Amino acid sequence: MDILEKVAAGHVLVDGAMGTMLQKYGLPTGVEPEYFNLTHPEIVEKIHREYLAAGADVITANTFQANRTKLPQEKLPEIITRAVQIAKAAGAPFTAYDMGPVGQLLAPMGTLSFEDAYDIFKEQALLAEAAGADLVIIETMSDLLETKAAILAIKEHTKLPIFCTMTYQEDGRTFVGTDPVAATLTLQALGVDAVGVNCSLGPVELLPIVQKILKYALIPVIVQANAGLPQMENGETVYRIEPAEYTKAARAMIRAGVRIIGGCCGTTPEFIQELRAMLGQEPVAAPVPVVCTAPTSASQAVILDDRLSVIGERINPTGKPRLKAALREQDLSYLLKEALAQVKAGADILDVNVGLPEIDEAKTMTTVVQEMQGIVNVPLQIDSSQVAAIESGARHYNGRPLINSVNGKPESLEAILPIVKKYGALILGLCLDESGIPDTAEGRVAIAIKIVETAESYGIRREDVLIDPLVLTASAQQEQVAVTLETIRLLKTELGVKTVIGLSNVSFGLPERTLLNASFLAAAFGAGVDAPIMNPLSDWMMATVSALRVFNQQDENAAGYIERMQTSGIQFGGKPAAAGVQKATGDSEDLKQMIIEGRKDETAAKARELLKTLTPLEIVDRYFIPALNVVGDAFEKKTLFLPQLMQSAEAVTQAQNVLKDYLAKQEAPQESNGRILLATVEGDIHDIGKNIVKMILENYGFDIIDLGRDVPIEKVVETLKKDKIHLAGLSALMTTTVANMKKTIAAVKAAGLDVTFMVGGAVLNPEYKEFVGADYYAKDAMESVAIAQKFFKEHPKKK
């Protein structure tokens, strides 16, 4: 029996925490746990045996951080091989290779490329399979794109089954803003064998997140919660939840439909023993998940069921000279402005077509998809007639894209459908084949049936196939308008698929196109269309969408319709105002707006222009700070997430560099809002959070002295003393290095230095702040800004 057969047969029990047990058996502070595979294999094996004795089915190898960014690459083969061998020697029925995050942010948030992340995971996967692992558990992931890189690396180079868990914060999202619905829909589409959640929170706090996962999971769900949140007691990290309390909460999850259960930080063999006893009392639940049609971005799923959704059409060079020029010149700023304007206007999904014969379309598609996903939250429709461009875009896409398109020609089906399946995408099928577009609705439906059935033969669910009946021009083929409408009706009644139409085709060559488009949209809505591809910048068209959403009860109490009518430029009793074109709110050429929207390629030029009339300080006060405050407020309210925050921060950085160059040429002193030392404490090699804090603090005008990661206590003391710095920020990700944070602060105080400390990191909380002796706890980058502003306002002489 392999692990998948075991899961199919009933509940599966995974072991508990490795780090907690290693600390119990003497793991020194700051030593990477994976080294114990070489130096103390008997301790690692003892821990495995304790979990097996408690009843665990799956033993997780001691490899969570075994990647080349955290350990010497030349040591990885030995460390990984020994880890798997130790688990097997302990008698594990199933040995899981434990694959954690790389520890660096992927582009566009950070500097790590998708390809480099893929190679890091590939190296581990090959070693794990060669060593005899039975499966891989990808765990504690926050970034959906990084998780996708890991999944592809495993699937493309091994035959190992994959269990995959994300880690969520108390707000119900991952560190970078992914919600459980988007994650679940994306990961199961990518072909993992189990999906779920681990770490961060205790089982009670995780239950609402687990319920969301279960609602949409078509595959087994795995949960490995912490034993509550870590707390300090007598100088040691402890977890308050006892095995009985943990098991009580786990029982609720099992009854809701969780199939695979285990433990994360703070759990021990006693927890696993309690879980085993509980599982023996519980039958296997059979939840009935929601099966839906839903493309996703990194932060949201757009569920197309029972609603009218708008696909923005404007990022397509056909008939758009300015867009063609932008693509030739690789001027992404123009494309990004178009994307932002459409989302502001109400687009639910954006079509992205960069097809020009004179450019490298595959490379351009990849770049545009990555940059666009850095500034907008909506899903994208990857639109190309070039197979290489479709595959490149789909591979690097963060989430589940909608691919536009495939048709009924055998060569099209054979080329596109494998890509759709591999990357977990949705597909838009066109009702045409080698004979062209049929003149009858029945002929078009026959092609749609062929597309749907062929897709299903590739393992693509019917719900993931959308059909475009094809809209022809009323000016040239007037009789075909009715055929398109009838095709929509038949597609809904005979196939039950979602339908998409290229709306503006109907009016080509006729006057007052907006009137024709709006009228046809209403008729198509009556026939059952789900998602028109249209211009969301047309005020008249979006008003029509608003009205139709009242009729299908999508707009409850007509609230959205009323708001649009109060703010739109529609002139009733006459023709559409300004030809129905809606202007984006706010001045798109204003530096503040550029920063808010994260348009990093434009802010430097705008700053140079403003320097002709304003001083650097005036630019900072009028544009930088107000924009960052807007972004920060949106981040706090969870209407904007880490990728967008980072893009806005980078936009400020580009403009700041212009101001710094200007001041250097003027030989003028560069004003600072205060100097702050930042460091990840000794023994801790994680610095993602610290680097984000650094960027945001610099945006607000603070001078940052960044000592990096794994910083010796002596270096912190020496730098603070030499540079006379009075505010310091210390970061730690691991509970094992919190003690070094305390030692660092104590050493600074012992040296008699007047320094105020703020601390942060994934494991930190207000209680830890008291334990380490810090003055402030910063839960995120924006709170670090507030602390710094408060400190230097109260102590201006300490800048």
Side-chain angles (χ1 to χ4, degrees):
M1 178 182 288
D2 64 23
I3 186 61
L4 298 184
E5 292 170 334
K6 176 72 173 176
V7 173
H11 296 123
V12 170
L13 181 58
V14 185
D15 59 10
M18 173 58 73
T20 299
M21 296 297 291
L22 285 174
Q23 289 174 46
K24 174 183 174 181
Y25 288 123
L27 175 70
T29 299
V31 173
E32 301 303 325
E34 290 75 13
Y35 281 119
F36 258 41
N37 298 329
L38 307 182
T39 61
H40 297 82
E42 72 286 354
I43 292 178
V44 178
E45 184 172 338
K46 175 179 173 61
I47 294 169
H48 290 330
R49 289 186 180 278
E50 289 183 19
Y51 279 122
L52 287 168
D57 299 307
V58 177
I59 293 298
T60 309
N62 181 30
T63 54
F64 178 68
Q65 297 183 112
N67 70 67
R68 70 176 79 153
T69 70
K70 297 177 180 177
L71 300 173
Q73 188 172 9
E74 64 274 11
K75 285 283 188 182
L76 289 181
E78 185 181 9
I79 288 173
I80 290 173
T81 300
R82 287 295 293 129
V84 175
Q85 289 174 344
I86 292 167
K88 287 187 164 296
F94 301 101
T95 298
Y97 178 82
D98 188 8
M99 184 178 282
V102 171
Q104 298 178 20
L105 287 173
L106 267 67
M109 289 185 291
T111 57
L112 183 68
S113 71
F114 180 88
E115 288 75 18
D116 285 345
Y118 175 91
D119 286 342
I120 290 168
F121 292 125
K122 171 187 170 183
E123 181 177 35
Q124 297 174 73
L126 288 169
L127 289 168
E129 186 176 54
D134 300 298
L135 70 151
V136 176
I137 297 180
I138 304 171
E139 65 160 315
T140 322
M141 303 299 280
S142 293
D143 184 350
L144 203 54
L145 186 60
E146 181 181 9
T147 311
K148 180 177 182 176
I151 293 167
L152 291 175
I154 297 165
K155 292 181 74 69
E156 291 178 355
H157 296 281
T158 78
K159 296 182 179 180
L160 294 174
I162 303 171
F163 295 176
C164 186
T165 57
M166 306 291 286
T167 184
Y168 298 93
Q169 303 177 122
E170 290 182 275
D171 63 3
R173 289 182 178 270
T174 71
F175 172 63
V176 300
T178 299
D179 76 339
V181 177
T184 300
L185 293 171
T186 301
L187 296 174
Q188 68 185 12
L190 283 167
V192 301
D193 299 289
V195 66
V197 55
N198 81 294
C199 206
S200 296
L201 304 171
V204 174
E205 293 82 7
L206 278 182
L207 185 57
I209 292 170
V210 172
Q211 288 170 334
K212 290 181 180 179
I213 294 171
L214 285 166
K215 182 176 180 179
Y216 292 98
L218 305 176
I219 57 177
V221 171
I222 174 174
V223 178
Q224 292 183 278
N226 283 355
L229 297 175
Q231 299 176 351
M232 295 306 298
E233 188 175 279
N234 299 322
E236 294 184 357
T237 299
V238 298
Y239 292 84
R240 298 289 188 188
I241 291 181
E242 295 296 325
E245 183 181 354
Y246 186 97
T247 302
K248 180 180 178 181
R251 187 187 297 272
M253 296 181 188
I254 291 294
R255 289 178 175 176
V258 169
R259 183 63 69 96
I260 307 161
I261 196 85
C264 202
C265 301
T267 60
T268 63
E270 289 73 27
F271 285 75
I272 301 307
Q273 187 173 13
E274 290 263 359
L275 288 174
R276 171 52 69 196
M278 179 270 290
L279 291 178
Q281 302 165 359
E282 295 294 331
V284 175
V288 181
V290 172
V291 180
C292 60
T293 301
T296 69
S297 66
S299 59
Q300 66 168 309
V302 174
I303 298 175
L304 300 178
D305 301 57
D306 303 319
R307 69 194 304 269
L308 182 64
S309 302
V310 172
I311 302 176
E313 70 177 9
R314 293 181 60 83
I315 302 173
N316 187 320
T318 304
K320 298 184 179 73
R322 179 66 189 89
L323 183 56
K324 288 181 180 179
L327 288 170
R328 293 189 191 102
E329 298 161 10
Q330 293 294 292
D331 177 14
L332 295 187
S333 62
Y334 181 80
L335 279 75
L336 298 180
K337 280 191 286 188
E338 285 285 353
L340 286 161
Q342 290 183 91
V343 172
K344 282 185 178 180
D348 301 291
I349 301 168
L350 296 182
D351 184 82
V352 180
N353 184 311
V354 295
L356 286 180
E358 61 268 37
I359 68 173
D360 184 338
E361 187 177 343
K363 182 179 178 180
T364 302
M365 179 66 81
T366 299
T367 302
V368 170
V369 163
Q370 290 180 324
E371 290 297 322
M372 200 166 286
Q373 288 203 286
I375 63 168
V376 299
N377 290 327
V378 302
L380 304 182
Q381 176 173 274
I382 297 172
D383 182 0
S384 179
S385 59
Q386 188 184 105
V387 175
I390 287 175
E391 175 150 27
S392 185
R395 186 174 184 85
H396 295 87
Y397 181 84
N398 195 348
R400 294 191 75 199
L402 172 57
I403 290 176
N404 182 5
S405 57
V406 73
N407 59 56
K409 298 177 183 178
E411 59 269 28
S412 175
L413 295 166
E414 291 169 7
I416 300 299
L417 293 182
I419 296 172
V420 176
K421 176 61 177 175
K422 180 176 182 177
Y423 298 110
L426 297 90
I427 182 62
L428 178 58
L430 308 184
C431 290
L432 65 87
D433 58 16
E434 56 273 18
S435 300
I437 304 173
D439 292 333
T440 66
E442 292 76 14
R444 298 188 196 185
V445 170
I447 295 174
I449 291 172
K450 177 182 179 182
I451 292 172
V452 170
E453 290 180 348
T454 307
E456 288 178 325
S457 74
Y458 279 88
I460 300 166
R461 299 183 64 89
R462 181 170 298 223
E463 291 79 15
D464 294 334
V465 182
L466 297 85
I467 297 294
D468 183 345
L470 296 177
V471 177
L472 302 179
T473 59
S475 60
Q477 295 170 286
Q478 191 170 356
E479 73 286 351
Q480 288 299 307
V481 175
V483 171
T484 298
L485 295 173
E486 179 60 19
T487 304
I488 295 172
R489 292 189 187 94
L490 292 176
L491 289 170
K492 304 300 287 188
T493 57
E494 295 190 12
L495 270 181
V497 294
K498 300 294 183 291
T499 54
V500 175
I501 55 171
L503 187 62
S504 59
N505 292 346
V506 75
S507 63
F508 186 79
L510 292 170
E512 298 295 352
R513 294 188 64 186
T514 301
L515 176 59
L516 286 168
N517 291 342
S519 300
F520 184 67
L521 174 58
F525 172 82
V529 77
D530 298 285
I533 303 173
M534 53 176 274
N535 178 15
L537 299 191
S538 166
D539 209 356
W540 187 264
M541 292 303 303
M542 290 306 292
T544 303
V545 170
S546 292
L548 296 174
R549 285 172 172 169
V550 173
F551 300 153
N552 71 355
Q553 302 181 61
Q554 182 178 339
D555 182 7
E556 189 173 351
N557 298 320
Y561 173 79
I562 292 169
E563 181 181 1
R564 181 171 289 276
M565 291 305 100
Q566 290 173 339
T567 58
S568 73
I570 296 292
Q571 298 176 358
F572 292 101
K575 69 180 188 178
V581 175
Q582 181 191 56
K583 294 183 178 179
T585 56
D587 181 1
S588 65
E589 302 310 312
D590 177 70
L591 180 58
K592 176 183 173 184
Q593 194 68 22
M594 291 177 181
I595 293 170
I596 291 171
E597 295 175 351
R599 289 152 53 191
K600 60 188 179 184
D601 293 335
E602 302 176 62
T603 52
K606 191 64 178 180
R608 292 189 193 96
E609 179 185 327
L610 290 172
L611 280 171
K612 296 175 182 178
T613 56
L614 298 174
T615 67
L617 183 58
E618 287 172 331
I619 293 172
V620 170
D621 289 342
R622 293 187 192 182
Y623 297 100
F624 289 10
I625 302 303
L628 286 167
N629 288 341
V630 170
V631 172
D633 185 58
F635 181 72
E636 290 294 323
K637 293 178 179 177
K638 304 302 178 185
T639 57
L640 172 149
F641 305 105
L642 185 62
Q644 291 74 44
L645 175 67
M646 297 292 285
Q647 293 298 302
S648 291
E650 181 61 26
V652 172
T653 298
Q654 295 301 317
Q656 274 182 330
N657 290 338
V658 172
L659 303 191
K660 289 178 181 178
D661 291 344
Y662 174 85
L663 289 169
K665 291 177 182 176
Q666 301 294 318
E667 297 185 353
Q670 296 190 23
E671 297 185 43
S672 168
N673 286 332
R675 293 177 304 146
I676 305 171
L677 178 143
L678 294 181
T680 299
V681 298
E682 187 171 7
D684 202 316
I685 58 173
H686 304 87
D687 62 356
I688 289 178
K690 174 187 65 63
N691 292 342
I692 293 170
V693 170
K694 175 187 176 183
M695 178 178 279
I696 301 300
L697 285 171
E698 287 179 335
N699 284 171
Y700 275 87
F702 297 101
D703 185 15
I704 304 302
I705 293 84
D706 182 8
L707 298 185
R709 61 186 185 178
D710 190 14
V711 181
I713 294 172
E714 300 77 19
K715 186 174 181 180
V716 175
V717 175
E718 177 188 335
T719 306
L720 288 170
K721 183 177 182 179
K722 178 172 65 73
D723 294 342
K724 298 179 180 179
I725 299 169
H726 296 283
L727 180 61
L730 300 180
S731 172
L733 181 74
M734 303 185 297
T735 56
T736 54
T737 55
V738 171
N740 283 343
M741 186 177 278
K742 181 175 184 174
K743 292 176 183 177
T744 301
I745 294 173
V748 171
K749 291 180 178 178
L753 303 180
D754 179 17
V755 178
T756 295
F757 284 93
M758 56 180 174
V759 295
V763 299
L764 271 291
N765 56 36
E767 187 176 84
Y768 272 114
K769 184 262 291 185
E770 298 296 331
F771 167 72
V772 301
D775 302 280
Y776 297 99
Y777 162 64
K779 65 180 174 63
D780 56 34
M782 296 310 300
E783 190 153 329
S784 298
V785 171
I787 291 168
Q789 290 174 329
K790 177 178 182 291
F791 175 81
F792 288 114
K793 182 178 180 180
E794 294 175 353
H795 308 283
K797 293 183 179 180
K798 294 184 177 181
K799 290 186 176 181

